Amino acid sequence: MPIDVVKDESGKWTASLNSNMMYPALYAFLQDNYKRFKWVSYLELPEEVTEEDKENIERMLAERNFFPVYLDSRTYLKFMEYYEKVLYPFFHNFVCPSAVSYTHLTLPT
């Protein structure tokens, strides 16, 4: 999730967009448009977070259309393996049709 969630000294949870995202263009887009989309994603939290904390975090994030998914470490590792072996190659190893040059083709006359 492109958001950082931290607990301040008073015990209040705060959220901010993560400017260290892998995709800076997405960060810039989200700054202005995050309310137009629903973002459902894994949110990594410290293990000592209570159920009450999770509820407070979910309420706070829902105001910004972010909906966290929590995974135990085993499930997370299985997902990351699937992501690295299947999803990432599938979505990153293709040729955009508009980038293909068709100048070598001759049309029938």
Side-chain angles (χ1 to χ4, degrees), residues 4-93:
D4 291 325
V5 177
V6 294
K7 195 174 199 177
D8 65 20
E9 293 173 4
S10 69
K12 182 180 177 186
W13 288 95
T14 59
S16 60
L17 286 175
N18 182 339
S19 60
N20 295 324
M21 289 177 53
M22 192 180 338
Y23 302 104
L26 181 58
Y27 172 75
F29 177 78
L30 284 173
Q31 283 187 306
D32 297 327
N33 299 292
Y34 71 86
K35 289 238 178 215
R36 295 178 44 207
F37 300 93
K38 293 189 184 329
W39 190 288
V40 179
S41 182
Y42 171 72
L43 178 63
E44 186 173 0
L45 292 173
E47 289 185 20
E48 64 272 3
V49 171
T50 65
E51 288 302 315
E52 182 181 351
D53 284 335
K54 284 183 181 180
E55 290 173 11
N56 291 333
I57 291 167
E58 289 169 8
R59 214 173 300 113
M60 174 187 57
L61 293 179
E63 294 172 4
R64 301 176 94 176
N65 282 345
F66 286 94
F67 301 92
V69 174
Y70 306 106
L71 302 172
D72 60 73
S73 59
R74 183 176 179 200
T75 305
Y76 176 75
L77 290 174
K78 283 186 175 188
F79 170 76
M80 288 308 294
E81 181 180 5
Y82 176 73
Y83 168 78
E84 291 170 0
K85 291 182 178 179
V86 178
L87 293 178
Y88 187 89
F90 181 78
F91 287 105
H92 293 85
N93 294 327

Side-chain angles (χ1 to χ4, degrees), residues 87-103:
L87 293 178
Y88 187 89
F90 181 78
F91 287 105
H92 293 85
N93 294 327
F94 66 92
V95 176
C96 179
S98 63
V100 176
S101 171
Y102 295 101
T103 57

